């Protein structure tokens, strides 16, 4: 989910620690815009992939690993954000959003986590939101509830194997310059990644 907001800010934050970065997004122009905002002294791979398409996502993850190595940390930041209400929804609307918010995160986890654990662990961090469901953002509310649950499932299985799973739950609209500035939010991902194992958080609510 390497977009111009949280995705770019998180990439810049980890690049400041001299970590090589793999950026995944659907569109090449999005990837190039984010890449140009990150310190070019670190290795940066850009990979076009659709997280709602399992084959595309798995292929994209394999490409990322081949270019920058097995991940130390995976950050799943994809979401479909748009207003909707229950009366106007179709099954296709619900499944489309669910595939992006939850399905892609689950596939990314299934594809990468076993090998990460074999190699000593790491972090798998998911962007959450909507701590209180909203009737005018139905599919987003459902999707963000789903990824919080997924984080708990992954934590239950893999925490004892050295993998720190956590969600960063964002309570309002991401806006530069305010409390929900992408740069401020990005600090939470770095803090979670470097937390001592004895004090691992499962969720940070901003």
């Amino acid at each position: 989910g390497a977009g111009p907001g949280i995705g770019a800010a998180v990439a810049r934050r980890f690049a400041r620690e001299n970590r090589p970065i793999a950026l995944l997004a659907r569109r090449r122009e999005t990837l190039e815009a984010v890449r140009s905002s990150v310190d070019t002294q670190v290795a940066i791979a850009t990979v076009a992939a659709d997280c709602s398409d399992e084959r595309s996502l798995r292929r994209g993850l394999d490409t990322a690993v081949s270019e920058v190595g097995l991940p130390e940390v995976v950050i799943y930041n994809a979401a479909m954000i748009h207003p909707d209400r229950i009366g106007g929804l179709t099954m296709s609307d619900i499944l489309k959003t669910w595939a992006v918010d939850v399905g892609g995160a689950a596939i990314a986890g299934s594809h990468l986590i076993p090998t990460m654990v074999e190699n000593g662990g790491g972090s798998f961090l998911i962007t959450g939101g909507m701590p209180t469901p909203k009737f005018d953002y139905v599919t987003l509310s459902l999707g963000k509830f789903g990824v919080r649950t997924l984080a708990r499932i992954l934590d239950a299985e893999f925490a004892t194997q050295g993998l720190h799973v956590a969600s960063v739950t964002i309570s309002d609209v991401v806006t530069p310059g305010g409390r929900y500035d992408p740069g401020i939010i990005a600090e939470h991902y770095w803090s979670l990644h470097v937390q001592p194992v004895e004090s691992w958080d499962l969720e940070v609510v901003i």
Side-chain angles (χ1 to χ4, degrees):
I6 294 172
V10 169
R12 288 192 293 270
R13 181 65 186 88
F14 278 78
R16 275 167 39 201
E17 305 295 334
N18 295 314
R19 298 314 204 262
I21 306 292
L23 304 169
L24 279 75
R26 285 182 300 162
R27 297 183 180 87
R28 280 286 170 194
E29 56 268 30
T30 302
L31 289 164
E32 290 309 315
V34 174
R35 178 177 186 155
S36 67
S37 75
V38 180
D39 186 346
T40 54
Q41 292 183 10
V42 300
I44 304 174
T46 57
V47 181
D50 183 347
C51 65
S52 67
D53 179 327
E54 181 176 353
R55 180 178 291 179
S56 173
L57 179 56
R58 289 186 186 274
R59 187 167 55 238
L61 293 170
D62 285 340
T63 300
V65 170
S66 71
E67 293 195 21
V68 298
L70 188 70
E72 173 187 339
V73 54
V74 176
I75 295 168
Y76 191 86
N77 181 55
M80 288 185 68
I81 303 173
H82 53 77
D84 50 29
R85 297 194 180 202
I86 199 72
L89 289 176
T90 65
M91 181 67 79
S92 176
D93 295 330
I94 296 166
L95 294 179
K96 205 176 292 183
T97 302
W98 190 263
V100 173
D101 287 358
V102 186
I107 293 302
S110 72
H111 197 77
L112 294 173
I113 287 173
T115 309
M116 290 172 70
V117 166
E118 287 176 10
N119 283 269
S123 302
F124 191 90
L125 310 177
I126 306 173
T127 302
M130 313 298 283
T132 301
K134 296 185 178 181
F135 68 81
D136 50 351
Y137 282 84
V138 174
T139 55
L140 183 62
S141 295
L142 292 171
K144 291 307 183 184
F145 184 85
V147 293
R148 292 172 82 194
T149 301
L150 176 64
R152 283 155 175 75
I153 290 169
L154 295 176
D155 173 73
E157 181 169 4
F158 295 108
T160 57
Q161 301 177 58
L163 187 80
H164 184 192
V165 180
S167 59
V168 178
T169 298
I170 302 164
S171 303
D172 210 335
V173 178
V174 177
T175 308
R179 177 181 176 186
Y180 299 98
D181 181 89
I184 294 173
I185 293 170
E187 289 293 335
H188 291 280
Y189 292 87
W190 176 253
S191 295
L192 283 167
H193 179 55
V194 297
Q195 273 185 335
V197 63
E198 64 273 10
S199 57
W200 276 357
D201 287 320
L202 179 57
E203 181 180 26
V204 172
V205 180
I206 306 170

